[in-house]
Each structure stands twice: as C-alpha cells, then as structure tokens.
Amino acid sequence: MSPDPRIRAAAGYLLAEALVRLWPGTVLGSQGLTPDGFWRDALLPDDADRVHLEPLQEVLRQVAAEGPAPVVEVHAARARQLLAGQALQLELLAARDDGQPVRVRHRGAFTVLDDSTTGGDDIATQPDARPAPRGLALTTVSGAYWQGSADNPMLSRIGGLAFASGSELEARRRLLDEAKERDHRRLGRRLGIFATSDDIGAGLPLWLPGGTVVRRQLESWIAEEERIAGYQHLVTPQLAKRGLYERSGHWEHYHEDMFPPMRVADEELVLRPMNCPHHITVFKHGAHSYRDLPVRLAELGTMYRYERSGVVGGLSRVRAMTLNDAHIFCTEDQVAEEFVRALRLVERCYGTLGITDHRYRLSLRDSLGVSGKYVADNLMWERAEKVIRGALDTVGLDYEEAPGEAAFYGPKLDIQLPDLLGREETLSTIQIDFHLPEQFGLEYVAADGARHRPVIIHRGILSTMERMTAHLVELYNGAFPVWLAPVQVAVVAISAEQEPDAARWVDELVRAGLRAELVRTEGTLGSRIRAIQEDKVPFTAVIGREEAASGTVSVRARGTRKAVVLARDAFADRLGTLAATRSRELGLAPTAA
C-alpha cells in the first residue's frame, strides 16, 4: 500500500520550508503526490547545490521535527504581502483570487499557499498525519517546466518518500529494491524477452527469441482453452475504413487515442484501436437463428493505440498490442450465463498461471452520466449493470465500483492486478454491450419468427500478450515455469570428449518437442553453470564420463543445489509431463496421485 496521502502532502510543505531555509531566495512552485511519495517544484538561486541532496535532507528533517507550518486564513491583500518575493505563488494566487479568504502556511519568514485538496489543515492538526523526520528521504532531482509549458521557466523538481516512521521508510526502500530487481523492463532485456529501438519507435517493442517462445505458448494455450469452451477463431485485418469506426462510435469517443487516417486512393484507412467492429462484421456476414446463439468469436488480434510518448514503456504500455479478444453474440436470456462462463474462464486461467492477488472492479459511467463520454441511454446502462452485478453475486465474488471507468458503450468488469508497490493495472475485462448491436443493425430470428437484437459480450481473458508477459516476468522474477520457459533444459558436457554425446541428446529432446540447448565447453564448468542459473533455466543437465558411459544425466533443478542422476528417457518424460500439464513445480519425481 502507498503511504497516507496526507503524510505525503505534508512532506511537500515541509520540503518547501526546508528549501527556503537552506537557500534563501528560492522561488516555490507547485507540489504533488506520486504513488510512493511527493514532489515540490522550485526555482533555486544560482548558488544552490543542485546535485547533492544530503544538506537539504538534513534541513528537511529538522523542519519535520517542528511539524508542518500552521494553516492560516488571510485576505488576499495580506496573502500578497506575505508572499512577496514568491512570484510563482503570486501567480497561482492571482489565478484563484475570488475575493474569499486565502489559506496559507505561514511560519516566520516562510509562507506558501495551502492546497486544501491535498489534506488542508488536517495535516497540521493530526499527529498521525505527519511524516517522521526519519521517515523522510529525498530521492530525485529532475527538471519540470512551470505549469507544464516549455514557454515558462525550467524549475527543479525534487522528489522523495514520506512515511510516519523510519521503519516504514526502510520497509518501502526494501520493497522498491525488490521491485527494481523484478522490473520487467530490466529482466526482459537481460533474459532476451524483448528489446526496443529508436529506429523502430517508442511503444513498438521487438519480441526477441525468448519472448517469442513465451508469447507463442500463451497464445496456443488460450486458443485451446477457448476452443474447448466453444469459441471459433478468426483472423481479421488490422486496418479498416474510417467509416467503420464512425459507425461504431469509436471515432467520436476514442479518436484522440487512434492513429490518424491514411489516405489510400479515394479512401481513408485507420489502424484499428479495437477488434470489435471487425468481429461484428463477421457476425453480420451470415444469417442467424436463435438456435445458433450464442456465437463466440475469438481472435488474437493486433491493435494500435496512440499512447503519448511520455507514457509508453516496456511491454506494459505500448502502441501496438495483440489482445486475447473475443465477442459473444447471444440472446438477452443468455447474457448472464455467458458472463459467468467468461468469468470462470478468467479464474481458471489465472489459477494455471499462479495469479492470486487480483481484485474485481465494476467500471461504471460517471455518476450523473453527463460528461459526454458515454452513450446516453439510461435504460441500456441499467440493464447491463444489473446483469454484471447478478453474475458477480452468482459466482460469489467481491468487487468495488469505479464510476467514470466504463467503456463508452457500456459498463464492464475489470480484473485489476497490483505490482509489488501496489500500483494496479487492468489485465482482463468483460463488458456487456447493448449499444453496438443497435448501431450495426444486428439481428437473429427468434423462436416466434420475429427478428431480435442480440447482445454482445466483449471479453479479454489474458489481456494483451504484451501486458500479460510483462506481468508474468515480474510475477515469476524471470524464472518461468517449464511450459513457458524459453529454454527448458540446458545440457552441459563436462569436457569436449562428452560434447558429441550431449549434442546428440539435445537433438533428441528437440525432436521430442522440448526446448533444450547445448552449452558449449568454453570456460570452466562452474562459470557455465552460473551462466545457466543467471538465465533462470528450469533444469541443468550435466553429462560427464560416467553419464556418457551409462546413458544417464545428472540433473539439477533451478534453485536447488543437489543433483539427481536419472536415466535420460525418464528425465525427458518428466520434463514433457511438467510442460504438458503446465505445472509450476520443478519436481523430478512424479507426484503421487
């Protein structure tokens, strides 16, 4: 969990006072919160030490021992007097001056505007909402334009962590260190999962051989799960005419997140941001009776979204992504059952992957429905929300509501996963849609011979391959289970004498459908085994003179020190079983039934 926002806000005011004390003449800008801490912008005097934070941190802790400066209310004229010399604060004051009393934090020669939205005078009056002197740590210095505009001065942005005690700060630092170690951007590059290139562009990762193995395993697995669950698979174009998205409503509600149209002859083509219009077009391709429904259409569909350059990074936030997508066309009587089926598929797949810390968020339109972000049809929204709530009650799952997070055409259930630091991302989603069937005039013939509108359930079980892979890299700390591991077993010959035998066995394993790799006899045996361990390969199989003579292999599982000598066929069978059953275990002996 992130520290109390009141504590982080208080730290921003403490830092403002520390800056003025250490470097008189500092012009204070704004402050804000981060998931882990706080920041304060300031224009530092020319003689300030902009690099070393230690002197500033010492003064910050001295100020923290006194507590945040009290909040006082003064008239605007008095506020301007107190803020003399603080040009940026005066600019903020002028922008908000409405004749009402002004809240400032004032102590001695220090004055700064108080922003009541970050805690107000609760911070000054509640001891439990104050950071401890030893609970403060300054961590970063960067640049930021005043008010975010390049036309304004560049300020120093000083950031840090803030907690109610020193022990909480140390615990957070340890967690940050672990999160840094597990960061998929670091591990993904080191383990050969993905790379980025300025020549290709931001948000367009290159899947390297190791990452391609992980991705292909996920894709083939979920396709089989869907086939068993009654889905039919499609391949549809990644482009379409702009008019398709105008009809669906994506152009009106989503065009700022789409790439601009491409002019081809007399047509405008658009890179698709969603797969649903294509799947709807497939459904419209034939006539449907109520006996055909539900129709479940699935695709590993590549989409494109114009994420801003400051947001893209790694695999979790990209501009080209492949979604494990599906659309279920059903009668209104079937919606609840189909929603529950999709929800149980999520639970089953998460169980296989070992994902346990997810939570469910019911994403709704804004409370008044007047933002203009959503289709204006109250009855439609009420029907869809009722179905989702009923499905969640049927399965017995707890959930939280999130107004303002719905899709423009309907409410949705988002499955949220936190990282080590508690920051959440949406991986899976299930949505109910009464709107697009109307937009596209979808029909089926009911038992009474009349034509009716189907309902669409949009669902993504494994999210995008990019985001799911990023999550799994961090979940497993790069140590993938056998079925996902890019290399399942590394085979080491102790000397060049055994290398031909080791190479023949590797060839046999590969022909049997296993991912085996021969480690050449270069360097010491210890250095070669350490390299395998650093690559987090599940099994290391060593062949020496005795193993070559007896047709055995000395196998050590990842994370263990003791090797087990096995017949080669027995080890290959065990490896194949672990992969086929998608086990997360590395046991070399078959488990009892």
Side-chain angles (χ1 to χ4, degrees):
M1 293 292 291
S2 296
D4 190 327
R6 298 172 302 165
I7 289 175
R8 288 177 283 151
Y13 294 116
L14 294 171
L15 178 56
E17 190 166 357
L19 284 164
V20 171
R21 286 193 192 182
L22 181 60
W23 295 310
T26 294
V27 179
L28 299 170
S30 301
Q31 73 175 48
L33 307 183
T34 67
D36 305 314
F38 66 98
W39 54 264
R40 165 66 73 172
D41 288 346
L43 184 62
L44 303 181
D46 293 338
D47 60 348
D49 187 338
R50 296 169 182 265
V51 178
H52 299 292
L53 293 174
E54 290 85 352
L56 179 58
Q57 181 155 302
E58 185 58 35
V59 176
L60 174 61
R61 287 177 170 175
Q62 293 171 10
V63 176
E66 303 172 24
V71 175
V72 295
E73 285 193 352
V74 296
H75 292 297
R78 176 57 177 158
R80 284 191 289 270
Q81 291 176 345
L82 293 172
L83 292 168
Q86 291 292 337
L88 302 182
Q89 295 293 298
L90 288 169
E91 186 177 326
L92 291 174
L93 176 60
R96 70 167 80 169
D97 189 2
D98 55 4
Q100 299 297 314
V102 177
R103 293 159 60 93
V104 297
R105 292 184 176 269
H106 175 67
R107 178 161 53 203
F110 167 72
T111 306
V112 70
L113 286 170
D114 171 74
D115 183 355
S116 58
T117 63
T118 57
D121 52 6
D122 287 348
I123 294 170
T125 59
Q126 296 184 19
D128 63 341
R130 298 178 183 178
R134 292 293 169 186
L136 289 164
L138 298 179
T139 56
T140 59
V141 180
S142 59
Y145 288 111
W146 172 238
Q147 303 284 50
S149 171
D151 296 331
N152 292 334
M154 173 69 76
L155 308 181
S156 295
R157 174 163 291 181
I158 301 167
L161 305 174
F163 290 86
S165 67
S167 60
E168 290 178 79
L169 172 62
E170 289 308 310
R172 190 65 169 185
R173 278 177 157 164
R174 288 192 295 271
L175 200 58
L176 287 168
D177 289 342
E178 184 180 355
K180 184 177 180 181
E181 285 296 307
R182 287 176 173 261
D183 191 324
H184 82 276
R185 293 168 296 185
R186 186 189 72 86
L187 276 176
R189 289 176 172 87
R190 188 172 71 75
L191 297 177
I193 304 298
F194 76 99
T196 56
S197 168
D198 290 340
D199 292 332
I200 300 296
L204 301 171
L206 299 163
W207 288 88
L208 299 180
T212 301
V213 169
V214 175
R215 173 172 172 161
R216 291 287 184 258
Q217 291 299 312
L218 290 172
E219 289 176 339
S220 61
W221 167 55
I222 192 59
E224 180 63 11
E225 289 282 352
E226 288 171 336
R227 185 190 66 79
I228 293 170
Y231 289 84
Q232 302 171 79
H233 286 91
L234 308 172
V235 176
T236 59
Q238 297 167 27
L239 288 165
K241 292 182 180 180
R242 171 176 164 171
L244 180 70
Y245 303 106
E246 290 175 336
R247 185 173 185 181
S248 70
H250 287 98
W251 189 258
E252 176 186 357
H253 294 277
Y254 206 77
H255 71 275
E256 291 184 356
D257 297 303
M258 297 170 64
F259 282 92
M262 294 173 279
R263 193 76 187 177
V264 180
D266 59 346
E267 296 179 340
E268 283 190 319
L269 298 179
V270 178
L271 288 167
R272 66 180 177 191
M274 308 284 184
N275 302 312
C276 33
H278 290 69
H279 290 193
I280 289 170
T281 304
V282 170
F283 182 83
K284 282 176 64 72
H285 186 68
H288 297 279
S289 159
Y290 71 96
R291 295 186 180 89
D292 304 325
L293 303 186
V295 172
R296 307 181 187 100
L297 302 178
E299 179 178 14
L300 285 154
T302 300
M303 316 176 304
Y304 302 85
R305 297 180 185 175
Y306 181 52
E307 299 281 6
R308 284 8 180 211
S309 58
V311 175
V312 296
L315 291 176
S316 59
R317 187 72 66 174
V318 294
R319 289 173 171 167
M321 65 214 75
T322 300
L323 179 64
N324 163 227
D325 205 1
H327 295 87
I328 303 164
F329 301 82
C330 59
T331 70
E332 191 162 351
D333 290 342
Q334 296 169 331
V335 172
E337 180 183 353
E338 289 299 313
F339 195 98
V340 169
R341 285 170 59 100
L343 190 51
R344 286 183 169 147
L345 182 56
V346 170
E347 285 289 309
R348 187 161 64 251
C349 290
Y350 278 23
T352 298
L353 294 169
I355 296 172
T356 59
D357 55 350
H358 52 293
R359 72 177 183 89
Y360 292 92
R361 184 182 77 183
L362 176 53
S363 296
L364 308 169
R365 57 179 173 165
D366 55 79
S367 56
L368 298 179
V370 296
S371 65
K373 291 169 54 180
Y374 305 104
V375 172
D377 186 331
N378 290 332
L379 180 60
M380 177 195 78
W381 283 89
E382 290 168 4
R383 290 161 68 197
E385 287 177 22
K386 181 180 179 180
V387 171
I388 296 179
R389 293 180 198 277
L392 288 166
D393 291 341
T394 297
V395 180
L397 292 174
D398 294 328
Y399 61 92
E400 297 178 9
E401 296 186 4
E405 295 293 334
F408 73 84
Y409 49 78
K412 58 193 175 96
L413 182 68
D414 290 322
I415 294 87
Q416 304 292 108
L417 273 79
D419 64 10
L420 277 176
L421 302 178
R423 298 171 299 198
E424 286 191 343
E425 283 191 310
T426 301
L427 251 71
S428 307
T429 185
I430 311 172
Q431 308 170 21
I432 293 182
D433 177 10
F434 290 94
H435 174 66
L436 290 179
E438 192 70 36
Q439 290 293 102
F440 284 90
L442 302 187
E443 293 180 338
Y444 70 91
V445 178
D448 61 2
R451 295 185 179 276
H452 292 258
R453 293 271 185 256
V455 183
I456 299 177
I457 298 175
H458 308 243
R459 49 106 291 203
I461 302 300
L462 294 189
S463 183
T464 65
M465 294 300 99
E466 290 76 11
R467 184 167 288 187
M468 179 55 78
T469 300
H471 183 79
L472 293 179
V473 168
E474 297 184 2
L475 177 67
Y476 301 136
N477 196 17
F480 289 101
V482 170
W483 72 282
L484 287 174
V487 176
Q488 295 169 326
V489 57
V491 180
V492 182
I494 289 180
S495 70
E497 182 183 352
Q498 294 91 41
E499 190 166 302
D501 181 40
R504 283 191 295 272
W505 188 50
V506 166
D507 185 60
E508 291 176 13
L509 293 172
V510 170
R511 290 177 182 277
L514 300 170
R515 295 189 292 279
E517 188 173 275
L518 177 66
V519 179
R520 296 291 178 183
T521 52
E522 298 172 359
T524 66
L525 178 63
S527 66
R528 285 180 279 158
I529 290 177
R530 281 193 297 274
I532 295 168
Q533 292 171 340
E534 290 174 358
D535 289 340
K536 302 179 184 284
V537 177
F539 292 104
T540 303
V542 177
I543 297 177
R545 186 172 298 173
E546 292 183 9
E547 290 84 5
S550 63
T552 59
V553 64
S554 179
V555 182
R556 185 165 68 176
R558 181 179 58 211
T560 64
R561 294 185 177 182
K562 185 177 180 180
V564 178
V565 177
L566 297 170
R568 295 183 192 180
D569 287 348
F571 171 70
D573 288 345
R574 181 59 181 156
L575 190 61
T577 298
L578 290 172
T581 58
R582 298 186 177 86
S583 172
R584 299 194 303 279
E585 302 299 323
L586 293 183
L588 286 170
T591 55

